[in-house]
Every structure is written in C-alpha cells, then in structure tokens.
Amino acid sequence: MVPAMFTKDACVQAVEKSERWLGSLIVDPVALQTKQGMKGKKHFVELLFGYQFLHMAYQSLGDSQGMDRVAVNFKKAIASTHEDAYHDMGKISDAQFAQDSTSYLAAYQLIQWFGLNNPRYISEIKNILPRIYAYAKTRGASRRMAFVVRLQAIGLPSIDTLQGLLDASLIRKRKEYVKLDNTDVYLLVHEVFRLTKNGEQPFFLLTTQDVEYLELIFHFLLKELMASQNVDLLAEVAVAMLFIGRGGSEEWWAAVNYILQRQNTNGAFGDYESVREKVRLEGNPYDVDIGIYLHTTIGSLRVLALSIPFLKGST
C-alpha cells in the first residue's frame, strides 16, 4: 500500500526542489580534477544522471514543460564535452584511467539518451577501445559488466558478455547477509542493474534462485539502512528491488517514503553537514555538495521517478 504521505503533489514538490538544487551546481569535470583533486568525470556523470532521472520523473508526471526544461539544462551541462581538455583518456595515467573510464562511457551514453550527437566524443571512445579492453581484463566480474553494458548501449563491441560473467558475480557467490559490507551491497545492486537491463527484463539472466536470494538480502537491508539513516544505499537497494520485480510491498513503500522525507529544504537528499564542517576546518577544497550530496540526491531522484507510475493519476 502506498503511504498516505507519498502523493503526487509531494513528488512534484520534491522533484522541482531537486531540479533547482541540481541547477545550482557547477560541475566542471576538468576543474574538479585539476584544482580540487576530486573525481571530475565521476561527479560530472552523476549530474547527467540527475538530469536523466528528473526527465523520467517529469515524464511520469505528464509534465512536458518540465521535460523540456531538463533537456535544455542537460545540453548546457555537457558543454565541456566539446572541449579538448575533457578528452584526455588516451593520455592520463593508468590509475586515472581506472577512475574515469566507465564514467567517460556513461556520459556519452546519456548524451545519446537525450537524443543528442557528439561525433568527436564517439571517435575518442573508439580510439581508446584497446585501452578499455586491456583494463577490463584486470577487473572483477561486477566492473566488467559495467563495460559490457556501457559499450553495448553506445553500439560498440565488448570483450565480455553478461552471460559469461554471471557465474563469477557476487550474486552467484551467495554471500551470507551478516558477511556483507556496504561495498558488497553496492556491488550487488549494480549487478542487478546490469543483469536486468535496468529493470526492463527482471529475468533476462537472473534465475528464480538468484531473485529469491536477493529478495532475502534486500528485505533485511531495508530496515537496517533506515535504522542507520543511510539514505544513499537505501535508495540503491529500493531501485534494485524494483528491478527484480520485488517492489511495491509495504516494507518497500516504507523505504521509499522514508527517502522522500529525507529531502532537505534546498532540494538535496541526505545529511553530510558533519563532513562539510570537517572539510572546512581542514581548509580542504573538497566540495561536499558535489562530492557526496550529489550521489545521494540522484539515487533518491531515481527512486521517486520509478515510484511515481504506481500512483493513481500520475499522468
């Protein structure tokens, strides 16, 4: 049952507040990397995902003006992808390449999703394919799945297949709940995202046994993550449950409503003010809004965007 507080009006207000907050951020991938020592391309693509989830939410709400507005702002946000300094993947160190490679692919995938074209970008990707393949071979199954999904989405070949990586996945290792740490949970949910084609095909590769294992793990996590006020990971788990066809339960809706209630007045989600104070005292140039709040906010937006269609009269 949908909680009484989770209404269309509440979702509209939350989405509009987050749109304003995202619009206030200046996410320059090159400047973040060179001047602030942050993961420039990672945070840049998080902003782009934010615009995708906003667009999805407005689409579910039947708000064409909102969709148009987001599309315009997305186009402004990707201006840096036309600059030489952005396309440095063939020159950066191996450590930097490891940090940026999937984000670099994801950004182009989102450009395509919004119906835009950037011939220079796809050309740059093709030039670094040998380096992507070489790097992918050094990674575990979960990360290699990311390369498969990203490359296939933009029409380029991968050295792996999702089917071929499935048996080496964390899902198939059936790790006990008590032995899972937060990193394991993030890996599990992202394997779900890739193996279900973002929920389009819940049983595309996952077996009934896989889904039963995941449902049990996620069931425990919902309560634990709400109790620990971990909005970031709770949002990821809520989306993954929906993607395996296990959303919509009373417990799931309680988690979704909890996330909605964790939005701040400025439109961001989560509470990292203690981190902001620590950074301030250290004189660190790290931007807490971009470095931490952004990820939690886009994850929460994704939950809202996917939950709105369950509401009667959402469009």
Side-chain angles (χ1 to χ4, degrees):
M1 179 181 294
V2 181
M5 297 173 67
F6 195 90
T7 64
K8 179 180 177 181
D9 286 344
C11 289
V12 169
Q13 292 177 21
V15 171
E16 289 179 345
K17 285 166 63 177
S18 287
E19 181 187 359
R20 289 192 293 271
W21 183 78
L22 285 177
S24 73
L25 300 179
I26 300 175
V27 185
D28 182 328
V30 176
L32 283 175
Q33 186 74 50
T34 59
K35 297 180 180 179
Q36 293 175 263
M38 297 175 66
K39 298 178 179 179
K41 287 186 175 63
K42 174 182 181 293
H43 299 311
F44 175 63
V45 81
E46 286 173 350
L47 177 69
L48 302 189
F49 273 120
Y51 283 123
Q52 181 190 38
F53 301 149
L54 280 174
H55 195 279
M56 290 165 55
Y58 282 128
Q59 184 175 33
S60 293
L61 291 165
D63 186 343
S64 59
Q65 290 185 339
M67 293 167 62
D68 291 344
R69 193 169 58 245
V70 169
V72 169
N73 289 329
F74 177 88
K75 191 171 183 178
K76 291 178 181 177
I78 62 169
S80 60
T81 65
H82 296 282
E83 299 173 1
D84 291 343
Y86 177 81
H87 297 287
D88 59 357
M89 298 297 289
K91 301 175 289 186
I92 56 178
S93 67
D94 289 343
Q96 190 68 48
F97 190 88
Q99 179 177 289
D100 290 348
S101 50
T102 51
S103 296
Y104 188 71
L105 296 175
Y108 183 74
Q109 183 182 349
L110 288 166
I111 289 170
Q112 286 189 317
W113 190 89
F114 273 92
L116 302 174
N117 190 29
N118 188 329
R120 194 263 177 89
Y121 204 140
I122 189 63
S123 177
E124 293 282 352
I125 292 174
K126 290 177 179 178
N127 288 339
I128 62 168
L129 275 179
R131 194 173 188 185
I132 289 175
Y133 295 154
Y135 171 63
K137 290 178 181 179
T138 70
R139 308 305 298 169
S142 296
R143 191 66 183 276
R144 292 175 78 156
M145 286 181 190
F147 285 110
V148 174
V149 171
R150 300 295 182 211
L151 289 170
Q152 288 183 348
I154 60 179
L156 294 176
S158 172
I159 60 171
D160 293 304
T161 64
L162 292 176
Q163 180 70 60
L165 295 168
L166 183 56
D167 286 340
S169 67
L170 185 58
I171 291 173
R172 285 288 168 88
K173 291 179 181 178
R174 299 290 196 269
K175 200 169 183 178
E176 295 178 27
Y177 173 74
V178 294
K179 296 180 180 179
L180 292 170
D181 58 24
N182 283 355
T183 299
D184 291 328
V185 177
Y186 274 110
L187 287 176
L188 278 177
V189 298
H190 283 273
E191 286 182 357
V192 168
F193 296 167
R194 291 150 193 163
L195 292 168
T196 63
K197 295 187 175 181
N198 283 330
E200 292 179 9
Q201 297 182 31
F203 292 91
F204 167 57
L205 287 175
L206 296 177
T207 65
T208 301
Q209 291 74 25
D210 292 329
V211 172
E212 288 175 349
Y213 164 73
L214 289 166
E215 182 180 16
L216 180 63
I217 295 295
F218 294 157
H219 169 80
F220 286 119
L221 281 168
L222 289 182
K223 294 181 179 179
E224 178 182 310
L225 294 171
M226 282 191 284
S228 63
Q229 300 182 20
N230 189 337
V231 180
D232 193 272
L233 193 49
L234 180 64
E236 301 260 359
V237 171
V239 171
M241 289 188 72
L242 196 60
F243 285 179
I244 61 170
R246 295 300 185 268
S249 67
E250 185 174 342
E251 292 174 333
W252 183 83
W253 273 114
V256 172
N257 189 56
Y258 177 88
I259 292 167
L260 178 62
Q261 303 309 314
R262 298 284 78 77
Q263 187 178 37
N264 303 310
T265 55
N266 67 353
F269 286 79
D271 182 4
Y272 305 105
E273 291 310 295
S274 61
V275 179
R276 191 191 303 279
E277 180 61 12
K278 181 175 182 293
V279 166
R280 185 189 69 81
L281 292 173
E282 293 174 348
N284 191 324
Y286 186 86
D287 188 316
V288 174
D289 287 326
I290 294 173
I292 310 179
Y293 275 106
L294 178 55
H295 186 273
T296 302
T297 299
I298 67 168
S300 300
L301 271 175
R302 190 181 202 182
V303 173
L304 294 182
L306 294 169
S307 302
I308 290 168
F310 287 88
L311 301 175
K312 292 182 179 180
S314 62
T315 58

